[in-house]
Amino acid sequence: MIPPQWNADFAAGMERVLDVYRRPYDANFPVVCMDETPRQLIAETRVPIPPAPGRQLREDYEYRRCGTCNVFIATEPLAGRRLTKVTERRTKTDWAHFLDDIAGHYPDATRITLVMDNLNTHRPGALYENFEPASAKALWDRFEFVYTPKHGSWLNVAEVELSVMIRQCLNRRIDSIDVLRSEVAAWKTARDRTQAKVDW
């Protein structure tokens, strides 16, 4: 998306994110980027014709919709590590619990810088709605939230990782959330094994 012309708030938010990306690697203060994508669960209505030499897989244009789900991703660009989670919905509760997962993934970190977009579910209040006040405060204190500017979610490196995941893993019809979870987990394991990084 093209940012609005002469938008000082956009420029300030962009500079903030870019300054975070300039930080050197520090295991005590990891920079983690987080994003999510909704996915449709889709089943075939006819058996596809398998690929053959000189011919790609052929699928019928008709399909059966089997619901939706959400894929969260957190990626640490400088370390080549990621964390994924497939949920049935994309709510404040799901986001709050994914933040708890991220904190658990970095038990020894002093503070985690979390780059994310301005989605309405990405607010500290979600922690207080889902955890006891002391636990919510302790979890919030583990993070430094850095929001991409409005119309600037493309500044989030996690969007690049989601794009790679979709191209390599989710660019076909998957009809079950369990199968999707398995596929996303296998993709994450393979990508972490190579310590794939984003050259930003």
Side-chain angles (χ1 to χ4, degrees):
M1 188 170 229
I2 299 172
Q5 244 184 339
W6 306 110
N7 186 323
D9 287 336
F10 179 91
M14 179 182 70
E15 293 292 349
R16 172 79 174 111
V17 172
L18 294 177
D19 282 346
V20 166
Y21 289 159
R22 286 186 191 101
R23 293 178 186 171
Y25 176 76
D26 186 339
N28 291 319
F29 297 92
V31 172
V32 177
C33 303
M34 187 234 91
D35 204 359
E36 68 264 76
T37 182
R39 304 307 301 169
Q40 285 192 69
L41 299 171
I42 296 173
E44 300 286 358
T45 57
R46 293 192 172 100
V47 177
I49 299 171
R55 188 184 74 212
Q56 294 183 346
L57 170 76
R58 294 182 185 177
E59 294 177 315
D60 194 73
Y61 67 92
E62 286 187 18
Y63 61 87
R64 183 169 46 88
R65 196 163 182 261
C66 301
T68 60
C69 64
N70 181 65
V71 180
F72 283 105
I73 190 167
T75 182
E76 188 182 356
L78 295 179
R81 288 190 299 254
R82 46 216 47 77
L83 179 67
T84 58
K85 184 175 191 177
V86 178
T87 58
E88 293 180 4
R89 295 166 307 285
R90 184 182 72 182
T91 66
K92 288 190 278 186
T93 296
D94 298 305
W95 178 77
H97 286 280
F98 187 57
L99 244 64
D100 193 38
D101 294 346
I102 295 170
H105 199 65
Y106 295 93
D108 300 324
T110 303
R111 194 167 176 107
I112 303 159
T113 299
L114 189 67
V115 177
M116 60 189 155
D117 61 24
N118 277 290
L119 194 63
N120 64 345
T121 56
H122 299 170
R123 298 290 177 252
L127 304 177
Y128 288 87
E129 290 176 20
N130 290 281
F131 301 106
E132 293 296 320
S135 298
K137 176 70 168 114
L139 184 56
W140 188 12
D141 286 347
R142 296 285 320 278
F143 290 93
E144 171 194 11
F145 291 164
V146 176
Y147 294 100
T148 58
K150 186 177 178 184
H151 304 297
S153 62
W154 53 271
L155 288 162
N156 187 347
V157 171
E159 281 205 357
V160 176
E161 285 288 340
L162 277 176
S163 177
V164 172
M165 178 196 292
I166 290 166
R167 281 194 324 271
Q168 293 179 347
C169 174
L170 303 179
N171 63 347
R172 63 193 192 286
R173 294 177 180 178
I174 299 174
D175 62 358
S176 156
I177 193 169
D178 292 330
V179 171
L180 193 134
R181 282 183 176 126
S182 174
E183 294 292 314
V184 167
W187 173 86
K188 180 251 185 232
T189 299
R191 194 140 166 90
D192 279 357
R193 190 179 304 119
T194 63
Q195 292 187 320
K197 297 178 176 75
V198 174
D199 184 11
W200 227 86

